[in-house]
PDB file of all heavy atoms in Angstrom:
ATOM      1  N   PHE A 305     -41.763  41.718  81.828  1.00 59.00           N
ATOM      2  CA  PHE A 305     -42.548  42.797  81.243  1.00 59.00           C
ATOM      3  C   PHE A 305     -43.227  43.581  82.354  1.00 59.00           C
ATOM      4  O   PHE A 305     -43.820  43.007  83.258  1.00 59.00           O
ATOM      5  CB  PHE A 305     -43.598  42.236  80.290  1.00 59.00           C
ATOM      6  CG  PHE A 305     -43.006  41.475  79.147  1.00 59.00           C
ATOM      7  CD1 PHE A 305     -43.054  40.098  79.110  1.00 59.00           C
ATOM      8  CD2 PHE A 305     -42.380  42.138  78.113  1.00 59.00           C
ATOM      9  CE1 PHE A 305     -42.498  39.392  78.073  1.00 59.00           C
ATOM     10  CE2 PHE A 305     -41.815  41.438  77.061  1.00 59.00           C
ATOM     11  CZ  PHE A 305     -41.878  40.060  77.038  1.00 59.00           C
ATOM     12  N   THR A 306     -43.136  44.899  82.270  1.00 60.00           N
ATOM     13  CA  THR A 306     -43.778  45.739  83.267  1.00 60.00           C
ATOM     14  C   THR A 306     -44.537  46.861  82.588  1.00 60.00           C
ATOM     15  O   THR A 306     -44.111  47.356  81.553  1.00 60.00           O
ATOM     16  CB  THR A 306     -42.739  46.368  84.221  1.00 60.00           C
ATOM     17  OG1 THR A 306     -41.789  47.099  83.447  1.00 60.00           O
ATOM     18  CG2 THR A 306     -42.017  45.306  85.027  1.00 60.00           C
ATOM     19  N   GLY A 307     -45.656  47.250  83.158  1.00 59.00           N
ATOM     20  CA  GLY A 307     -46.427  48.381  82.645  1.00 59.00           C
ATOM     21  C   GLY A 307     -47.183  48.043  81.376  1.00 59.00           C
ATOM     22  O   GLY A 307     -47.111  46.932  80.853  1.00 59.00           O
ATOM     23  N   SER A 308     -47.922  48.993  80.876  1.00 56.00           N
ATOM     24  CA  SER A 308     -48.678  48.786  79.642  1.00 56.00           C
ATOM     25  C   SER A 308     -47.996  49.560  78.521  1.00 56.00           C
ATOM     26  O   SER A 308     -47.762  50.758  78.635  1.00 56.00           O
ATOM     27  CB  SER A 308     -50.120  49.267  79.817  1.00 56.00           C
ATOM     28  OG  SER A 308     -50.129  50.638  80.140  1.00 56.00           O
ATOM     29  N   GLY A 309     -47.677  48.877  77.471  1.00 59.00           N
ATOM     30  CA  GLY A 309     -47.037  49.502  76.317  1.00 59.00           C
ATOM     31  C   GLY A 309     -45.533  49.642  76.456  1.00 59.00           C
ATOM     32  O   GLY A 309     -44.870  50.021  75.520  1.00 59.00           O
ATOM     33  N   THR A 310     -44.989  49.365  77.628  1.00 62.00           N
ATOM     34  CA  THR A 310     -43.543  49.404  77.778  1.00 62.00           C
ATOM     35  C   THR A 310     -43.075  48.070  78.322  1.00 62.00           C
ATOM     36  O   THR A 310     -43.846  47.325  78.917  1.00 62.00           O
ATOM     37  CB  THR A 310     -43.097  50.517  78.753  1.00 62.00           C
ATOM     38  OG1 THR A 310     -43.650  50.239  80.031  1.00 62.00           O
ATOM     39  CG2 THR A 310     -43.519  51.879  78.259  1.00 62.00           C
ATOM     40  N   ALA A 311     -41.835  47.755  78.101  1.00 67.00           N
ATOM     41  CA  ALA A 311     -41.312  46.468  78.564  1.00 67.00           C
ATOM     42  C   ALA A 311     -39.896  46.642  79.067  1.00 67.00           C
ATOM     43  O   ALA A 311     -39.158  47.505  78.601  1.00 67.00           O
ATOM     44  CB  ALA A 311     -41.353  45.443  77.444  1.00 67.00           C
ATOM     45  N   ASN A 312     -39.552  45.834  80.000  1.00 71.00           N
ATOM     46  CA  ASN A 312     -38.177  45.756  80.469  1.00 71.00           C
ATOM     47  C   ASN A 312     -37.671  44.384  80.042  1.00 71.00           C
ATOM     48  O   ASN A 312     -38.153  43.379  80.531  1.00 71.00           O
ATOM     49  CB  ASN A 312     -38.130  45.904  81.993  1.00 71.00           C
ATOM     50  CG  ASN A 312     -36.719  45.817  82.512  1.00 71.00           C
ATOM     51  OD1 ASN A 312     -35.770  46.057  81.779  1.00 71.00           O
ATOM     52  ND2 ASN A 312     -36.582  45.459  83.768  1.00 71.00           N
ATOM     53  N   VAL A 313     -36.740  44.353  79.113  1.00 77.00           N
ATOM     54  CA  VAL A 313     -36.246  43.093  78.578  1.00 77.00           C
ATOM     55  C   VAL A 313     -34.908  42.780  79.244  1.00 77.00           C
ATOM     56  O   VAL A 313     -34.011  43.607  79.254  1.00 77.00           O
ATOM     57  CB  VAL A 313     -36.064  43.161  77.045  1.00 77.00           C
ATOM     58  CG1 VAL A 313     -35.536  41.855  76.501  1.00 77.00           C
ATOM     59  CG2 VAL A 313     -37.366  43.545  76.384  1.00 77.00           C
ATOM     60  N   VAL A 314     -34.809  41.593  79.814  1.00 78.00           N
ATOM     61  CA  VAL A 314     -33.572  41.183  80.474  1.00 78.00           C
ATOM     62  C   VAL A 314     -33.010  39.971  79.745  1.00 78.00           C
ATOM     63  O   VAL A 314     -33.687  38.963  79.600  1.00 78.00           O
ATOM     64  CB  VAL A 314     -33.826  40.838  81.955  1.00 78.00           C
ATOM     65  CG1 VAL A 314     -32.534  40.369  82.613  1.00 78.00           C
ATOM     66  CG2 VAL A 314     -34.402  42.026  82.683  1.00 78.00           C
ATOM     67  N   TRP A 315     -31.787  40.090  79.274  1.00 78.00           N
ATOM     68  CA  TRP A 315     -31.096  38.983  78.615  1.00 78.00           C
ATOM     69  C   TRP A 315     -30.065  38.442  79.596  1.00 78.00           C
ATOM     70  O   TRP A 315     -29.311  39.197  80.197  1.00 78.00           O
ATOM     71  CB  TRP A 315     -30.350  39.468  77.364  1.00 78.00           C
ATOM     72  CG  TRP A 315     -31.239  40.017  76.310  1.00 78.00           C
ATOM     73  CD1 TRP A 315     -31.797  41.241  76.277  1.00 78.00           C
ATOM     74  CD2 TRP A 315     -31.668  39.353  75.133  1.00 78.00           C
ATOM     75  NE1 TRP A 315     -32.531  41.392  75.141  1.00 78.00           N
ATOM     76  CE2 TRP A 315     -32.486  40.237  74.412  1.00 78.00           C
ATOM     77  CE3 TRP A 315     -31.444  38.086  74.612  1.00 78.00           C
ATOM     78  CZ2 TRP A 315     -33.062  39.908  73.202  1.00 78.00           C
ATOM     79  CZ3 TRP A 315     -32.020  37.755  73.400  1.00 78.00           C
ATOM     80  CH2 TRP A 315     -32.822  38.658  72.715  1.00 78.00           C
ATOM     81  N   SER A 316     -30.031  37.131  79.743  1.00 77.00           N
ATOM     82  CA  SER A 316     -29.024  36.518  80.595  1.00 77.00           C
ATOM     83  C   SER A 316     -28.377  35.375  79.853  1.00 77.00           C
ATOM     84  O   SER A 316     -28.966  34.817  78.938  1.00 77.00           O
ATOM     85  CB  SER A 316     -29.632  36.034  81.912  1.00 77.00           C
ATOM     86  OG  SER A 316     -30.614  35.051  81.655  1.00 77.00           O
ATOM     87  N   PHE A 317     -27.167  35.017  80.247  1.00 75.00           N
ATOM     88  CA  PHE A 317     -26.405  33.975  79.574  1.00 75.00           C
ATOM     89  C   PHE A 317     -26.047  32.891  80.577  1.00 75.00           C
ATOM     90  O   PHE A 317     -25.543  33.193  81.654  1.00 75.00           O
ATOM     91  CB  PHE A 317     -25.125  34.545  78.958  1.00 75.00           C
ATOM     92  CG  PHE A 317     -24.241  33.512  78.337  1.00 75.00           C
ATOM     93  CD1 PHE A 317     -24.582  32.934  77.135  1.00 75.00           C
ATOM     94  CD2 PHE A 317     -23.084  33.100  78.959  1.00 75.00           C
ATOM     95  CE1 PHE A 317     -23.767  31.971  76.555  1.00 75.00           C
ATOM     96  CE2 PHE A 317     -22.269  32.139  78.391  1.00 75.00           C
ATOM     97  CZ  PHE A 317     -22.611  31.578  77.186  1.00 75.00           C
ATOM     98  N   THR A 318     -26.334  31.645  80.242  1.00 72.00           N
ATOM     99  CA  THR A 318     -25.957  30.525  81.073  1.00 72.00           C
ATOM    100  C   THR A 318     -24.701  29.906  80.475  1.00 72.00           C
ATOM    101  O   THR A 318     -24.711  29.506  79.313  1.00 72.00           O
ATOM    102  CB  THR A 318     -27.081  29.470  81.120  1.00 72.00           C
ATOM    103  OG1 THR A 318     -28.257  30.098  81.593  1.00 72.00           O
ATOM    104  CG2 THR A 318     -26.704  28.309  82.016  1.00 72.00           C
TER     105      THR A 318
END
Side-chain angles (χ1 to χ4, degrees):
F305 299 105
T306 57
S308 60
T310 62
N312 180 22
V313 179
V314 178
W315 297 79
S316 62
F317 176 74
T318 303

